[in-house]
Amino acid sequence: MTSSVGSTTGTAGTGELAGTLEATAAPPPRRPRGRGSALRRQNFATSIRNNFYFVLFVVPLQTALALFLAVLLNNKFLRGRSYFRTAFFFPSVTSSIATTLVFLFLFSGGGAVNQLLGYVGLHGPNWTADPRGVFHQALGAVGVDSTPGWARHEFFNLSWWDWFSGPSIAMIVIITLVVWTTSGTFMLMFLAGLQNINEEVLEASEVDGADAWQRFRLVTLPMLRPTLILVLTLGLISTWQVFDQIYLTGNNPATITPAYLSYNQSFQNSAFGIGAAIAFLLFALIILLAAVQRRLIGTGEDD
Amino acid sequence: MPARTYSPPWRRGVGYALLIFFAVVFIGPFLIQLATSFKTDADAANNSLSLIPHPATLSAWKRIFGFTENAGIPFGRWLTNSIIVATFITLGRVFLDSLAGYALARLRFPGRQAVFWSILAILAVPGAVLLIPRFLVLKELTLFNTYPGMILPIVADAAGIFLMRQFFVNIPTTMEEAARIDGAGVFRTYWSVILPVARPGLITLTILSFQGSWNEFQLFLVSTSDPKYNTLTTGLAKFSSGQLGAGTQYPLTLGAALLSTIPMAIVFFAFQRHFIGGQLAAAVKG
Amino acid sequence: MIRRTRAPLALVAGLGLMLAAACGGGDSGFSNGGNASGGGATTGVKLTMLIGSSGDAETKAVDDATAAWAKKGGNTVTVTPAKDLTQELTQALAGGTPPDLFYVDASKFAGLVKANALAAYGDQMPNKDDFYPNLLQSFTSDGKVYCVPKDFSTLALEINTDMWKKAGLTEADYPQTWDQLDAVAKKLTTGGVTGLVFNDTLDRVDAFMRQAGGSLLNADGTAFTADSPQNLTGLQFVQKMAREGTLKFPKQVDTGWGGEAMGKNKAAMAIEGNWIVGGVKNDYPNLHYTVVPLPKGSQQATLSFTNCWGIAAKSKNQAAAIDLVKYLTSTDQQIQFAKAFGVMPSVKSASTQFSQQFPDQKAFVDGAAYATGPTSLPGFDQVQKDFDSKILGLSNGSSDPKAMLAALQKNGDAALKANN
């Protein structure tokens, strides 16, 4: 059963399809490694690493930005808030392909972002062409230039040094793009949450002498907890599936993610078995995260 | 009664400054996109930040609308396909999701809870995981490279069913009881009594379905390989990730991307309330 | 109320969709009326062709040629230039609806044969013996000639003559050795212009490795020889120029390939094959360039690339497709293609005519004598992609040539093993 899953092309009759039918008839193995080449394992490990850093950066950033904008928009003393709210939410309704194209343009070597950086005297990198990890860059700035001996050992065909590379500079572009796109949606959720907060509690705390920051930290935030958990978990679940933006940056080890790798293996290399296995693992991960979400939030449903 | 009736000017100033800063950040890219579509390739590459084309040219737009000899992009084809699939998916979703939502909200049958949760669970499987299965199933059903193949897999969705169920649950049962007393059957009750009241929900569902199907990419990517089925999303994506420098014709790609955003923008500005309402409903569901 | 009529409408629409699906799954356009057998008809046939075009010039040339054939025989041919030939072909093949004809790159040939995607029609070609034997060899498996080469190209060095003159250089300064290349690239790297730009792929870097005397596979293709001192020398030379900034890769100058970098005046020199002729003709008409052979390392070497006209094994119109290929590989038609986008004919009978008509492509023609073809090994694609992704790192020190070759060796060995 298992040998056909690892092959790049089919074993019988008309090539790929025979292989894929066999692959889907039998339950896919839970662990695609141990089979196939070291390169496949390395690609898989790279995709997990990239997606991990992506999640690590995007979820806090988009949550923080969304909350900040919501608080800003909740301020009764600013006029025209609904126009600003529209402006902040607008990127969320556009297609991911269209916005990725714009950002790839903005972040091109001679593009707008580098021009802006130039105005403050910084020389921006060639963003999407730069596969170096951000953490490596930071360490390099303090003199750690090459892989220390202990970090040469490999886990899944990827050295520990490479595991700790941080997101690549190319990935930073995607991170920025996704935060820009999704903050608006979560901002609305926080707004709804903020508007549900009882005014009287806030007034009471002000009477008790709390200043604005204390009010926020000790009254508002705790009352936002359900929304916060919702935003965090929705963010976690969606960031692990990122695909559209990665498709446009191509088969670049600096940005591949499991979802893209699954697609690439199947539709570029005819290795449907590998692609299906990767997708299955991704699915398991997402179910886990959804279960965690349900546990933390509860279903909210009776009846 | 608001507790504070006064806010010091400096605080308001900071507030406005922040609002304007972020507005620039969120809207700026679209303005740059618009400006770039009127630039030449060289100007776009060298002066990407500038909002003023120098020289201004319509060459990118001409290529989009097919007025030039030079192989432009089959924008008309992409637009047509997008409209076709978006229309059918939206109609399908409105019809099916509202029916399902009503059934799950109002009709009592054994195993209702189980059905509800299994529908949600099945339909909530993320698209990225379904790339391969959808391709294989469509192939088996000989729906690969066909319009039905682009429509049927997503003609019902979990969020829509959930949304409609919420709306129906919130309608008091008295209306239905009255209709029942008057002798109406289930479908008639649904049609004449419930649907009109659930109108806001239906509008929201329509708008969200349109948004989802207009911006859909992954399904169209795996369900078709023939360029004549490219929609705005797959067409642009394949064009830009192509070989030999097609990806750096920025005025052309950005202009086309902008055009593909405009229908969504119009729908958005016209029906803002419902977009935002839909999001808040999702928050409440949480 | 509008809503009253909406549901019935949707119902009708839904039924309509079902019916459309049932009645043959939509118009795929791949079969003509009532041709059940392996495709015997040669008139009234609708053929589809998927090509990996180098630019508008090539697409137009293929369009014109197929239209001429179609008119003669009362057929129609739909030519589609692919944005990503490999991906689109793979998906179409896996989807069971491949185009009747498509380009097959020599490096992808073995994989397609293994997947039984190609029809073997080589023996049915009357001019089979006219093709260059080494090109035919690239498309032969198990003694069967699956498809015939449509043309071939070799790599050479293209030099922007305007920039050359401006830097005070003359024809005598055309680089013939690595040191000379290094020197002129330095001279030409000024302002926003980089001396040399070529794609960060093994399909260019391998030329340098071979010039240093190395190779990827041993003579009979049974073992990988990537990790050798000669290959290291070649790779280190590339690294040297990259670190000096006299060599940049297209992405670093915001372009997609060397020809574009030259056309946009970001590069003074590029390393490309014949396709650059067609690739820059329409887009950059003001580019004046000349073509010289690649400089020597310890020996003269360059790479050759060729595609064949692949006919899908699943195609229902094979007879008509073969007829079309006969037409497209005729001497006259190949010269037409050469004129349109600069590739070299794959038939011996056209070689003198080509050399006479296109003297400025002499460097490409001469290269054929000492060129080596690409590595054709199923699964090598991934190995190459992995190597390619590290090439850009040579310019900023994040990639190490020794490590790159070691990885190439390891992965290449694994790919070889997987196929035996």
Side-chain angles (χ1 to χ4, degrees), chain A residues 117-132:
Chain A
L117 288 178
Y119 289 154
V120 294
L122 294 170
H123 183 65
N126 199 311
W127 296 92
T128 51
D130 202 328
R132 295 174 293 175

Side-chain angles (χ1 to χ4, degrees), chain C residues 179-384:
Chain C
D179 289 332
Q180 290 175 356
L181 179 65
D182 200 8
V184 298
K186 267 208 194 70
K187 263 225 179 93
L188 292 164
T189 305
T190 63
V193 178
T194 311
L196 177 60
V197 170
F198 59 78
N199 285 47
D200 48 336
T201 164
L202 191 57
D203 292 334
R204 301 287 180 277
V205 172
D206 195 22
F208 288 97
M209 301 203 303
R210 288 186 188 268
Q211 283 162 11
S215 67
L216 290 180
L217 279 172
N218 65 357
D220 49 6
T222 52
F224 244 77
T225 54
D227 202 357
S228 69
Q230 295 96 338
N231 282 337
L232 185 61
T233 311
L235 198 51
Q236 281 175 334
F237 176 67
V238 173
Q239 180 191 36
K240 174 171 181 295
M241 287 190 69
R243 293 202 90 144
E244 284 168 359
T246 50
L247 161 66
K248 285 216 176 83
F249 303 105
K251 263 207 288 201
Q252 290 174 299
V253 292
D254 285 335
T255 57
W257 62 297
E260 186 184 348
M262 282 184 76
K264 292 194 170 152
N265 291 326
K266 300 246 169 91
M269 302 187 286
I271 297 183
E272 294 287 342
N274 303 54
W275 53 79
I276 192 173
V277 174
V280 301
K281 199 154 72 156
N282 288 342
D283 292 332
Y284 311 109
N286 296 327
L287 178 65
H288 302 124
Y289 64 98
T290 180
V291 183
V292 301
L294 287 180
K296 229 163 85 136
S298 64
Q299 64 187 33
Q300 194 91 31
T302 183
L303 302 177
S304 71
F305 303 96
T306 177
N307 283 306
C308 82
W309 296 107
I311 295 183
K314 284 210 178 93
S315 167
K316 298 194 179 71
N317 307 306
Q318 291 185 20
I322 294 177
D323 197 51
L324 177 56
V325 173
K326 279 193 208 137
Y327 177 82
L328 292 171
T329 53
S330 64
T331 314
D332 289 332
Q333 187 51 52
Q334 292 217 29
I335 294 288
Q336 287 275 62
F337 282 144
K339 221 191 298 203
F341 57 100
V343 284
M344 296 187 286
S346 55
V347 284
K348 293 183 265 201
S349 54
S351 73
T352 13
Q353 201 179 348
F354 180 85
S355 307
Q356 281 170 353
Q357 286 194 12
F358 307 104
D360 46 334
Q361 294 194 36
K362 184 168 184 308
F364 291 124
V365 177
D366 293 343
Y370 50 84
T372 39
T375 315
S376 179
L377 192 62
F380 187 69
D381 238 11
Q382 285 280 72
V383 178
Q384 179 169 345

Side-chain angles (χ1 to χ4, degrees), chain A residues 125-206:
Chain A
N126 199 311
W127 296 92
T128 51
D130 202 328
R132 295 174 293 175
V134 164
F135 292 172
H136 284 176
Q137 295 297 90
L139 286 173
V142 296
V144 182
D145 258 343
S146 56
T147 319
W150 60 266
R152 292 235 169 104
H153 295 294
E154 295 192 342
F155 174 62
F156 258 82
N157 287 73
L158 203 59
S159 70
W160 283 108
W161 179 246
D162 282 333
W163 276 102
F164 288 118
S165 67
S168 60
I169 293 183
M171 204 55 157
I172 300 281
V173 179
I174 316 264
I175 290 173
T176 314
L177 165 65
V178 171
V179 170
W180 182 82
T181 313
T182 55
S183 297
T185 317
F186 294 128
M187 170 194 77
L188 287 186
M189 292 186 188
F190 277 127
L191 259 181
L194 282 173
Q195 278 158 12
N196 279 340
I197 291 181
N198 202 333
E199 280 282 344
E200 293 166 1
V201 180
L202 281 170
E203 285 171 40
S205 65
E206 194 176 2

